[in-house]
Amino acid sequence: MTPTPTVHSLLFELLSGPEWTQRLARGWGAQRTDVLRQIASRIVFARWQTGRTPQPTDPLSVERLPIVEAMIDKHRPLIAEAVDLQLRIVGTAVELAAEQGIKVTRSALSEPVSSVVGAAYVQDPPARLDPQEVAQHLLLRFTGRPQRLTDDELVTQYLEDYHREWDTSPHRDRPSSIGLGSDERPPFVHARRENSWQLGTDRSVCGRYRLYFIGAGRHDPRTCADEEVRRACAGFGLLRPEHRTALRSISIASADAGRLADAVQVWNNRQQTRTVATGPVDESLTLEIAAKIRVWFGCSSAGKQLTARQGDVGEYSEVLSMALVRKVWMGLHAHERNERPVLAAADIHRLLGPALDKAVPEVVPQWMLEPPTDPPSLKRCNRSYAVLVEHQPLLTGTATEYVEFVHRKYGPAWSELVLTPDELRDQFPTLFTEEDGDA
Amino acid sequence: MPDEIEVRTAPDGAVVIGPEPVGAAGLVFVALTDGVLVVDPMAPHNVPQLRLTGEPAEATESLFGTAVAGRARGVDVPAPELVASPERDALVRLGILRWLHERSPVSLDLPLVVVEQLALEAGLTELLDPEHHAPLAILDWVPALIEWSGRARGTDSDFRRTAEVAEVILDGLRTAELQLESGGRLHSDVVHEIELLTAISAWGLSGADPDGAWAVLDELRPQPADDLGHGDLPSWHGNGPVDWDRTPPRATARHEEAVSWSIRGGALSVVVDLFPPAPHAAVLAAPAAAADRPGRLQATLYASSWPLPLASIDLELRAESGAWMGTHQLDPAVLQHISRVAETALFIDVHARGTRHRAPIGPAADRASAARWAARGLSALRLAAAGRSRAGLLSTASQALTRAATFYSGLPDGVGGPEARQCRALAQWATGGGTPLNVWRPNGSAEADTPPVFDPVGGPAGPSAAEVWYAADAPRSE
């Protein structure tokens, strides 16, 4: 397919030219995306001369394209002048920050400085800016912001509280029971950088605290630390019981929920407005989640690739569930941080989409190669395979017949020498289907 | 008439933008703030699919324009057309780098692939989902980058044979500089290296060594694994492939006969070739945090006439022999069963320890085989674009892709039809010389716009620095 140029793509092309390499070099304080959006686009659109002003990513017609190209070319010196001014302001701000002991990087200054310069260059002729004055004004933004506590400060002020709180917590909800993490006390500080949802509750307390400060959210650092220590010690690392119910409900959702058409119907009829129950599990939610998983495997590219490469979902339902639980946990953690009042079923439905689309393709193929539980010993496996190949009717028989046979052959300690029916069925689901195999 | 872009709602309610991808050599999923972008490395010239996970926002608009984002929000926009998007191109390139990382059948210098990937991600942070990529990961590479940069400054350095390698090192250093606190020693070292390398890059670089040894095709061709010994012929023996999805990446060789096995004197022996070291591994070591973990492998014996395994054995990593090896005395009952079946009906499945058993036969195994041949074909095409042994590589690509098409065509119920067609189209393209091709479309309007270009290795899909360096040692064939 041949894409149609836009003002955005033409400006990007302009700013990718050799004359801009030095100006827009990484780390200099004029990032290409900021310059494009805040300066170049605004200069061009403020001086638009050819009919209705389009959006930056609207397609340009064949007739309009040469006119717009000529217009951009005409404004090239003005854009260059504005970027040079931006670099002067950034340089001045860095010097002032060093003098005043303010922590700020050139990269952090890029967006705000672009914004100020762009606003000035919207005017024709451009408004005059005094770099010293603008830089000083911008630095105020960096001094008034609440700063998060460093790991060292957190250790000094909260480590003892954390240990005390953990030791007195009941720990009824074990993370390992739903594949959310280990049951050990989560580390307070992690040795390595940890910015992955894959950790689940194995994320350190400092790491959870840092989540507060990701993105635009700025909170009172001490209130956050108090709350995060309490939350880390609560069941599944969450304070609210309905959040824990939601996770349990996800963890038991079947990954193989029958016919696609039936699953589509269940999913389309889901109840979005009702709140999630606070009991052990929310059964309606579990059914809806199972339906969503089934539909996702049937209709998404990622689901289809997973089935083609790794086989039927039943073969990796455990790691699939782990991925969903850990990714949704991040969303519920954010739900608590943002103090959202009610957990509706729709909130979980919304969290499930990214969990399937982003988390599952990322980790399931990898986690399948590192099974969470130790497999039975090869000696027991090989002895069982030999028993079944030697006495082939056992293959189509019942679990009881298998147990009677191996009991006769190996004595009362047979299960130490060969696999149990459950272990065999775990590997080969078609075995012993005629009875429950509760031997 | 400009190309229209499809916006539809999937059965699970997700809004999907763009056509259904084929992905004969596998698909790559890039997590964005608004959804997930599906990149088909065999068709980078086609529009990638975006599956939204919420309301369309900045990423959707950057990738597909305001009109498509409006349509995705439910606004009745008539036939939104495909707009140019440098961000979309960059994300397609990122997808291809990730494919090389996971699926390349040849032993590229992985550190270069990773650094190129991390530098590219740094320019896309506003679009990438912060929970699914790690901007600070570049910091693990800083000591290595400084060391490489130092080597690249040597007048007769290998690093200076391809401009792309120096550029990747420079990009990596610049990306790292953004993440380091200014004033620290590491930051000063990085800034110093950036200045020196920038100056050296400006001087120009020497050419590649035309006499250099080159084994680029090894992984793309069938070849037997290690000989299993001398003396009497084994009672049963054979060769076979490793399923790439059942072993950690780069744990084993990726040619189609990486596994050799024999049953002699009642003992089953299995030898699996190791993934060969990258050509410049000695000077491009990855930091410990980013190094591959080989994992623990097992081999399981199957007979086509029996649905369960006959025996499983642990494989031991024997680096000195360049192989994984294992041996096991088979149970007499198993031997008796084997004596009744033909040698060609015995199979070995090599897999990570503890993974579910799966016999390496049937449609699933054929599909895996097809995907491997497609990956080899694509890899050969990409190396042809990167290096000088163009004719030989294009011929290899054509053969591999034709074989992939045959496997895909043979899948039951025609399920591999689209993949087979994709492989055939690329095979024909390779046979025709592998140059960009204008494609006629039945619904297109020739006078209104340029026909779309079929170019699986051009534009954002151009060769990575690792591929260029890998192919730099290729003998001249034209």
Side-chain angles (χ1 to χ4, degrees), chain B residues 5 38 78 80 95 119 124 207 296 324 328 353 377 390 403 409:
Chain B
I5 186 91
V38 187
L124 294 163
R296 295 169 70 182
W324 295 84
H328 168 71
R353 178 178 177 267
R390 193 171 166 77
R403 197 176 288 202
S409 303

Side-chain angles (χ1 to χ4, degrees), chain A residues 158-174:
Chain A
Y158 288 93
L159 182 61
E160 271 185 41
D161 290 352
Y162 169 57
H163 282 217
R164 199 178 314 117
E165 182 97 24
W166 179 268
D167 291 340
T168 55
S169 298
H171 305 298
R172 277 189 289 272
D173 287 309
R174 293 179 301 105

Side-chain angles (χ1 to χ4, degrees), chain B residues 84-478:
Chain B
S85 162
E87 292 86 354
R88 193 178 63 228
D89 289 346
L91 286 165
V92 167
R93 179 157 189 83
L94 179 61
I96 286 168
L97 289 168
R98 287 189 183 174
W99 182 84
L100 287 173
H101 191 170
E102 291 299 318
R103 308 292 287 184
S104 173
V106 295
S107 56
L108 300 175
D109 285 298
L110 209 61
L112 286 180
V113 178
V114 175
V115 171
E116 189 171 350
Q117 202 174 308
L118 292 172
L120 190 57
E121 284 178 6
L124 294 163
T125 42
E126 288 177 10
L127 304 178
L128 294 169
D129 185 331
E131 280 184 20
H132 293 267
H133 85 287
L136 297 181
I138 192 73
L139 294 181
D140 289 334
W141 291 82
V142 171
L145 283 164
I146 290 174
E147 192 188 322
W148 302 348
S149 176
R151 287 195 177 146
R153 297 202 309 269
T155 46
D156 55 351
S157 166
D158 263 5
F159 285 74
R160 293 179 63 185
R161 284 165 56 188
T162 48
E164 288 84 350
V165 172
E167 277 168 25
V168 164
I169 297 171
L170 199 50
D171 261 0
L173 286 166
R174 284 179 175 146
T175 307
E177 196 228 333
L178 290 183
Q179 306 291 354
L180 290 166
E181 283 208 9
S182 55
R185 169 125 187 239
L186 210 50
H187 182 263
S188 310
D189 288 351
V190 166
V191 171
H192 181 64
E193 291 300 333
I194 289 172
E195 285 166 1
L196 291 174
L197 205 55
T198 306
I200 287 197
S201 296
W203 295 342
L205 299 148
S206 61
D209 175 10
D211 301 322
W214 202 54
V216 70
L217 292 177
D218 286 357
E219 290 298 307
L220 305 176
R221 288 187 187 123
Q223 57 168 327
D226 286 356
D227 191 355
L228 286 165
H230 302 286
D232 296 339
L233 281 177
S235 303
W236 297 274
H237 67 104
N239 296 105
V242 173
D243 187 332
W244 300 355
D245 293 312
R246 290 175 58 72
T247 51
R250 293 170 296 283
T252 67
R254 287 192 158 176
H255 59 81
E256 201 62 2
E257 299 198 347
V259 183
S260 300
W261 61 269
S262 73
I263 299 169
R264 195 166 44 177
L268 167 68
S269 301
V270 178
V271 178
V272 185
D273 285 355
L274 282 180
F275 195 69
H280 311 96
V283 291
L284 269 180
D292 280 332
R293 283 173 298 166
R296 295 169 70 182
L297 298 188
Q298 291 181 334
T300 300
L301 175 69
Y302 287 89
S304 60
S305 56
W306 183 245
L308 300 186
L310 293 169
S312 283
I313 60 176
D314 280 323
L315 296 175
E316 193 184 335
L317 180 60
R318 302 284 289 273
E320 73 283 3
S321 310
W324 295 84
M325 293 180 178
T327 186
H328 168 71
Q329 193 66 35
L330 294 171
D331 189 280
V334 169
L335 281 170
Q336 196 180 2
H337 182 83
I338 289 173
S339 68
R340 294 196 293 266
V341 300
E343 183 175 85
T344 52
L346 292 173
F347 304 93
I348 290 286
D349 175 40
V350 174
H351 53 94
R353 178 178 177 267
T355 50
R356 287 269 193 150
H357 288 292
R358 191 199 297 168
I361 46 176
D366 287 346
R367 178 180 268 281
S369 185
R372 288 195 298 274
W373 281 111
R376 292 186 188 108
L378 177 59
S379 186
L381 276 186
R382 296 185 55 78
L383 288 172
R388 294 169 300 160
S389 187
R390 193 171 166 77
L393 280 165
L394 286 175
S395 164
T396 301
S398 179
Q399 289 169 35
L401 289 162
T402 303
R403 197 176 288 202
T406 307
F407 274 111
Y408 273 126
S409 303
L411 293 178
D413 306 322
V415 291
E419 288 90 342
R421 284 191 289 279
Q422 187 178 45
C423 291
R424 270 192 217 104
L426 257 73
Q428 278 170 13
W429 183 75
T431 309
T435 50
L437 197 68
N438 286 337
V439 181
W440 176 81
R441 282 171 299 118
N443 60 349
S445 167
E447 67 279 6
D449 60 342
T450 322
V453 174
F454 181 90
D455 187 6
V457 292
S464 66
E467 288 168 303
V468 173
W469 208 16
Y470 192 87
D473 292 330
R476 290 179 196 277
S477 71
E478 53 194 6

Side-chain angles (χ1 to χ4, degrees), chain A residues 384-405:
Chain A
S384 307
Y385 303 153
V387 163
L388 289 165
V389 83
E390 188 176 9
H391 305 280
Q392 298 192 0
L394 289 175
L395 191 69
T396 50
T398 64
T400 309
E401 286 166 344
Y402 170 78
V403 171
E404 284 170 1
F405 182 86

Side-chain angles (χ1 to χ4, degrees), chain A residues 350 353-354 357-358, chain B residues 14-17 30-37 49-65 68-70 72-73 91 124-130 132:
Chain A
R350 242 192 318 274
D357 283 323
K358 298 176 183 176
Chain B
V15 174
V16 175
I17 298 168
V30 182
L32 306 180
T33 49
D34 306 1
V36 64
L37 192 74
Q49 187 186 73
L50 176 65
R51 189 176 145 89
L52 296 180
T53 52
E55 281 294 301
E58 190 183 337
T60 310
E61 286 199 16
S62 294
L63 267 59
F64 292 101
V68 169
R73 285 187 196 100
L91 286 165
L124 294 163
T125 42
E126 288 177 10
L127 304 178
L128 294 169
D129 185 331
H132 293 267

Side-chain angles (χ1 to χ4, degrees), chain B residues 3-25:
Chain B
D3 287 298
E4 292 170 12
I5 186 91
E6 183 192 4
V7 181
R8 65 183 174 86
T9 304
D12 64 350
V15 174
V16 175
I17 298 168
E20 205 57 34
V22 177

